[in-house]
């Protein structure tokens, strides 16, 4: 146990003792205390937002009681699973105390926010005022040069306003640029169902925290699969909203033209409640400017019906079943046909037989809920994948990083150039461009998207063509949406090499969702024979987020696939490379 963890544990015990709630004064807890703890464990393990609200209204628990329960659980298990990078102990307890006082003063007429007293976690690339936005990278933690957030990201401000209690920040790979969850800031996060295995990335810290009941829900970010694929490894619900529905202001970008944020929860109801809170127009993010007019009206709970899948039709993308991958951030038009063909072929990602079997079994739940699933070679064929691959966004990543630092960087640096001058070393090419670290190709010149005459060729026209092709398939075959595996393989064992090298996490063929800008959701779809989860992904037309959540809810109610993991207090690889 390190000094920080020890202090956390002592403070949690001290606070509990002072309120006479959780611990007896002697070493051996009394029978009553043990029974009370068992009752609390029973009530709070897998608790939902509506159920927690009932417990508060009946005065069975205070917010402080609930927050201490979660903090103690983090203390007990986080050393093994390493999901929570920074515990917001002081802030969480202060918020809980304040909310308890408000409820006491307000009495029976007190009006609670939609997430009042709900303990949540926030991904480490999302600004929380006064905390270091590590973005998973040790370079933002250099003593004296830390990236301390001057204010909350928009979604954090909205979650706070709704009454949520922020327990801490979750671990993530450097800059969210990995399919597994290893960071230079905090190390490796393990899968809650088996710590030896990967939870996926880059929102693996949040999914492990939520599925392990370290928090009730949290946020993830997704540039190519990073909410959805990790959710599939851990039997949680992950929502990728229509881009522009939820503000990205205050979230460190990987590629701002592809990035999105959304809720991760243990069930669809909680995800819908959280999305209601997070969504909305924001002057700080121009992508949200039309959301009020274009999005389906809320609240999203209105779409959650057990019969929402009856009579609906869903197609299965042919290119995903064939394992035709799409290179991350696309292939720039400057490449020759031979280079394009080589890059496109290099992104091939076969669907593993065990994943195909899990997918086909998961479709039984779609059928049971009244939906029809269509297999047809013309549903997003190879030609669609090639069109999407022409959407090349890497040219604009520096712009996104500079915009983020300008508004949410510390006083020392508000741009990539400032960082280099102050710290004495540059930000990596991953987030500022100047080179492509994964391919032996000419450097990609950085540009500003709005003024770049090449933006149409790089992004706008291929994106338009791909979205037309997507909608054409839905129209022609009278499909409501698409359904497919959220990953091409099961979570890999990180105790041994995979394909001759250290695991890079489970991979997916779902980055096309980001590239054309349609919403998608992952729901628990069952389990592999070894006990690790399988996730089913559903996508819809742009701005049909309510319908999408309704379908996910109907599937969830027809299947009830989720079961919580059994955590261990000792395990392998808490600090694996």
């Amino acid at each position: 146990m390190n000094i920080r963890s020890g202090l956390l544990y002592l403070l949690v015990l001290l606070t509990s003792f002072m309120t006479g709630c959780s611990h007896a004064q002697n070493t051996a807890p009394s029978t009553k205390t043990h029974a009370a703890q068992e009752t609390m464990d029973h009530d709070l393990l897998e608790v939902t937002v509506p159920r927690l609200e009932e417990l508060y209204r009946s005065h069975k628990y205070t917010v402080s009681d609930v927050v201490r329960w979660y903090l103690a659980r983090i203390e007990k298990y986080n050393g093994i699973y390493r999901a929570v990078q920074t515990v917001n102990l002081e802030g969480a307890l202060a918020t809980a105390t304040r909310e308890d006082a408000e409820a006491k003063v307000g009495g029976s007429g007190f009006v609670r926010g939609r997430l009042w007293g709900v303990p949540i976690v926030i991904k480490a690339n999302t600004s929380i005022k006064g905390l270091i936005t590590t973005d998973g990278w040790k370079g933002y933690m250099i003593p004296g040069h830390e990236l301390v957030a001057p204010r909350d990201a928009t979604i954090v401000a909205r979650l706070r306003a709704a009454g949520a209690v922020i327990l801490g920040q979750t671990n993530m790979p450097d800059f969210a640029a990995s399919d597994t969850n290893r960071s230079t800031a905090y190390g490796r996060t393990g899968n809650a169902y088996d710590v030896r295995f990967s939870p996926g990335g880059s929102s693996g810290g949040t999914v492990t925290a939520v599925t392990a009941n370290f928090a009730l829900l949290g946020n993830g970010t997704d540039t190519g699969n990073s909410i959805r694929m990790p959710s599939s490894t851990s039997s949680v619900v992950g929502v990728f909203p229509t881009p522009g529905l939820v503000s990205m202001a205050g979230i460190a970008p990987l590629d701002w033209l592809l990035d999105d944020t959304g809720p991760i929860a243990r069930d669809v109801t909680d995800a819908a409640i959280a999305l209601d809170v997070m969504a909305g127009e924001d002057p700080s993010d121009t992508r949200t400017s039309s959301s009020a007019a274009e999005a389906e009206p809320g609240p999203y709970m209105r779409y959650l019906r057990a019969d929402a899948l009856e009579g609906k039709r869903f197609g299965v993308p042919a290119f995903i079943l064939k394992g035709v991958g799409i290179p991350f951030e696309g292939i720039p038009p400057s490449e020759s046909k031979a280079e394009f063909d080589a890059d496109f072929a290099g992104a091939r990602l076969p669907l593993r037989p065990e994943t195909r079997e899990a997918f086909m079994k998961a479709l039984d739940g779609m059928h049971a809920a009244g939906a029809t699933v269509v297999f047809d070679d013309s549903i997003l064929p190879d030609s669609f994948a090639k069109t999407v691959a022409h959407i090349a966004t890497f040219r604009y990543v520096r712009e996104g990083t500079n915009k983020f630092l300008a508004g949410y960087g510390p006083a020392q640096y508000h741009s990539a150039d400032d960082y280099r001058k102050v710290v004495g070393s540059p930000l990596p090419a991953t987030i500022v461009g100047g080179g492509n670290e994964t391919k032996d190709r000419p450097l990609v010149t950085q540009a500003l998207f709005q003024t770049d005459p090449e933006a149409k060729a790089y992004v706008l026209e291929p994106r338009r063509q791909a979205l037309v092709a997507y909608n054409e398939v839905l129209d022609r075959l009278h499909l409501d949406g698409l359904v497919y595996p959220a990953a091409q393989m099961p979570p890999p064992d990180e105790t041994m090499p995979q394909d001759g090298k250290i695991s890079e996490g489970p991979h997916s063929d779902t980055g096309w969702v980001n590239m054309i800008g349609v919403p998608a959701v992952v729901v628990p779809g069952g389990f592999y024979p070894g006990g690790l989860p399988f996730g089913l992904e559903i996508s819809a037309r742009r701005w049909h987020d309510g319908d999408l959540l309704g379908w996910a809810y109907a599937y969830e109610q027809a299947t009830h696939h989720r079961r919580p993991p059994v955590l261990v207090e000792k395990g392998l690889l808490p600090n694996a490379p």
Side-chain angles (χ1 to χ4, degrees), residues 451-475:
T451 59
D452 182 19
E454 299 292 332
K456 182 175 181 180
Y458 271 80
V459 176
L460 297 175
E461 182 56 23
R463 176 175 283 175
R464 184 195 67 80
Q465 293 176 9
L467 191 57
V468 167
Y470 176 80
N471 289 327
E472 185 277 332
V473 167
L474 299 182
D475 292 338

Side-chain angles (χ1 to χ4, degrees), residues 81 83-84 121 123 170-171 181 189-193 198-221 225-239 263-266 522 562 565:
Y81 298 94
V84 183
V121 285
K123 192 173 176 179
T170 54
N171 190 35
N181 222 74
T189 300
N191 191 304
Y193 288 86
S198 175
S202 63
S203 300
T206 298
V207 301
T208 294
V210 171
T211 201
N213 286 267
F214 293 174
L216 204 149
L217 55 85
N219 85 301
T221 61
N225 64 15
S226 288
I227 288 173
R228 295 160 293 135
M229 180 271 285
S231 295
S232 77
T233 74
S234 300
S235 201
V236 291
V237 176
V239 181
I264 293 170
R266 289 188 294 270
V522 166
R562 175 170 167 82

Side-chain angles (χ1 to χ4, degrees), residues 268-270 272 300-306 308 546 549-551 553:
V268 178
T269 299
D270 287 355
Y300 290 111
M301 287 286 288
R302 70 195 294 181
Y303 301 93
L304 307 191
R305 304 190 321 273
L549 288 169
W551 302 334
Y553 178 81

Side-chain angles (χ1 to χ4, degrees), residues 325-336:
I326 300 170
F328 178 60
E329 296 181 312
I331 304 172
S334 57
E335 291 200 0
S336 67

Side-chain angles (χ1 to χ4, degrees), residues 243-245 280-294 543:
L245 183 66
E281 294 186 358
D282 176 16
S284 299
D285 185 349
T286 57
R287 290 170 292 187
T288 67
S289 61
S290 64
S291 63
E294 297 192 73
W543 303 112

Side-chain angles (χ1 to χ4, degrees), residues 10 15 31 79 85 92 95 114 138 200 257 268 345 375 411 424 488:
L10 289 173
T15 308
T31 304
Q85 173 194 289
T95 300
R114 197 64 190 91
K138 64 182 180 181
L257 289 172
V268 178
F375 289 82
Q488 296 292 95

Side-chain angles (χ1 to χ4, degrees), residues 147-224:
L147 201 169
V148 177
R151 61 183 183 279
D152 288 339
T154 296
I155 64 163
V156 171
R158 288 176 174 171
L159 290 163
R160 283 194 202 269
V165 181
I166 299 173
L167 298 179
Q169 298 164 299
T170 54
N171 190 35
M172 57 177 283
D174 297 36
F175 312 117
S178 175
D179 279 346
T180 191
N181 222 74
R182 296 186 188 91
S183 74
T184 58
Y186 191 61
R188 172 188 179 269
T189 300
N191 191 304
Y193 288 86
D194 190 326
V195 71
R196 299 171 300 173
F197 289 77
S198 175
S202 63
S203 300
T206 298
V207 301
T208 294
V210 171
T211 201
N213 286 267
F214 293 174
L216 204 149
L217 55 85
N219 85 301
T221 61
D222 191 317
T223 312

